[in-house]
Amino acid sequence: MTAEIHIAGVIVHVTPAQVAEVRAQLAILPRCIVHAAEADGRLIVTLEAESAPRTLDAMDAIRALPGVLNVALVYQHAEPANSMDEELQ
């Protein structure tokens, strides 16, 4: 079986008072990137994982953080991991 890479875009809704704390916690999660955080509690996050179940595990870990109200998957893409080494033309 060939290794895969799964890339997911999620919106994390946080209580406004805890945006900074949650953003700091997300920064230490492996293969998790916070692209934007708004004062009203919306965070735009990208997750990378080896499989769909691992993506769901990461989403569950985020959902369990104090202050997180919801985690919504808005985009998911999967392809063979070796395609990341291919040169784009």
Side-chain angles (χ1 to χ4, degrees):
M1 179 175 219
T2 182
E4 291 184 333
I5 182 80
H6 289 249
I7 301 169
V10 298
I11 296 186
V12 180
H13 189 202
V14 178
T15 56
Q18 292 181 288
V19 170
E21 292 88 353
V22 171
R23 188 173 189 168
Q25 290 294 314
L26 294 177
I28 61 174
L29 288 177
R31 299 165 71 177
C32 176
I33 301 168
V34 178
H35 297 280
E38 298 294 327
D40 67 1
R42 293 173 294 148
L43 288 79
I44 307 299
V45 177
T46 301
L47 303 171
E48 292 183 15
E50 302 81 28
S51 66
R54 291 278 195 199
T55 300
L56 295 174
D57 290 345
M59 291 175 62
D60 286 342
I62 294 169
R63 195 172 285 114
L65 293 173
V68 172
L69 303 171
N70 191 34
V71 178
L73 178 68
V74 294
Y75 177 80
Q76 194 271 340
H77 174 78
E79 61 185 69
N82 62 1
S83 69
M84 299 299 281
D85 298 328
E86 294 176 9
E87 187 176 326
L88 296 175
Q89 299 196 16

